Structure formats: structure tokens, C-alpha cells
Amino acid sequence: MQIKKYIPKVLQWFLNICLIVLSLILSFLLIKELIEFFKILFIDGSNDYQLFLANILLFFLYFEFITMIVKYFKEDYHFPLRYFLYIGITAMIRLIIVEHDHPKDTLIYSFVILILIISYFIINVTPLERPKTSLFPGNKTSTK
């Protein structure tokens, strides 16, 4: 049964290769977004601040995804949960800026941002390590 030993390694390599390809694609899109900034600012000369702000937030979404992939490799193949919260908050802010026609939707998006911020606060307050002992007397399992 040596194949069971190699399956996780092969899948880990496949995941790593896919993430590297994804980071290259995101880097290309990030550069493309920078070109869009220059077009809006210097070539078009339009005063469409809503479009410009939406592009800035889209830029940050690409940037955060690339940062999350970098952190994945630096933290021994682990995605930190707080980066997902950052991305969610940025995406909701972008949604509010781009689609602010319906007040109910904007209020719901605002509540989603509040929930994400509360979640981030809870993550920062709770300890990083799980307790070594169980709360149940008969359960002697280790968390590591």
C-alpha cells in the first residue's frame, strides 16, 4: 500500500503548480489594471471617480489574492483565514461603490462587512493554539 503514501504528495505538487499558474495570471491582470489606471488618469482625462475607485479596489483584490498565495507558501502550505476576510471586505466595499442603486442591497452589503469585521476581531482575540487537554474527561486525543 505504498500508493497511499504518494497520493498526498502528488496532490500537493499539483496544487502548488496550479497556485503558481494562478499567481502568474493574477500578476498579469494586476499589471493590466495598472495600465487601466494610467489610461483613466492621463489619456482619457475623464472625471469618472466611481470607475477609478472601482478599479483601485479591483487592483487590491488581485493584490490580496497574490499575497495570500505567497503566504500559503511561506506558512507551510496553509491559507491564513484573515486573508479571506480581507478579500471579502474589499469585495463588499467594491460592490457598494459599483452597485449602490438599491438602498436595501447597500444595507445588506454593509451588514456583511460588519459581520466580516466582527469575525476578524474574534480571530484576533482567540488563541492561535488549541488547548492540549480535552474538556471531556474520557477523551484523551491530541490535537497535533
Side-chain angles (χ1 to χ4, degrees):
M1 290 315 240
Q2 293 218 359
I3 195 161
K4 286 184 179 180
K5 192 166 75 172
Y6 293 111
I7 289 175
K9 290 181 182 181
V10 169
L11 290 175
Q12 186 66 51
W13 273 98
F14 178 71
L15 178 66
N16 291 346
I17 291 169
C18 288
L19 282 174
I20 290 170
V21 169
L22 180 64
S23 65
L24 292 173
I25 292 169
L26 289 172
S27 298
F28 171 75
L29 292 172
L30 190 72
I31 292 169
K32 184 179 172 187
E33 206 59 41
L34 277 172
I35 294 169
E36 286 296 316
F37 286 153
F38 288 118
K39 283 182 183 177
I40 291 172
L41 284 176
F42 299 116
I43 297 173
D44 292 344
S46 66
N47 292 331
D48 192 3
Y49 297 108
Q50 183 179 356
L51 175 68
F52 185 70
L53 194 55
N55 284 347
I56 287 176
L57 290 173
L58 187 62
F59 176 84
F60 277 112
L61 282 172
Y62 291 136
F63 184 78
E64 287 172 355
F65 273 116
I66 293 170
T67 304
M68 189 172 64
I69 292 171
V70 169
K71 279 291 187 184
Y72 171 81
F73 288 110
K74 283 187 176 181
E75 293 190 12
D76 295 327
Y77 311 116
H78 171 72
F79 284 116
L81 183 61
R82 66 180 183 272
Y83 283 96
F84 288 110
L85 294 175
Y86 296 154
I87 291 169
I89 291 169
T90 305
M92 287 293 109
I93 291 172
R94 182 178 184 278
L95 249 161
I96 289 174
I97 290 171
V98 173
E99 298 179 19
H100 59 276
D101 297 335
H102 304 287
K104 283 183 184 178
D105 292 342
T106 304
L107 184 63
I108 291 171
Y109 298 150
S110 300
F111 281 131
V112 169
I113 291 172
L114 179 64
I115 291 169
L116 289 171
I117 290 172
I118 290 170
S119 302
Y120 181 75
F121 177 74
I122 290 171
I123 287 173
N124 282 337
V125 169
T126 56
L128 295 176
E129 296 285 326
R130 290 186 179 176
K132 303 273 189 262
T133 60
S134 175
L135 296 175
F136 304 105
N139 192 358
K140 301 282 184 189
T141 58
S142 174
T143 59
K144 287 195 176 188

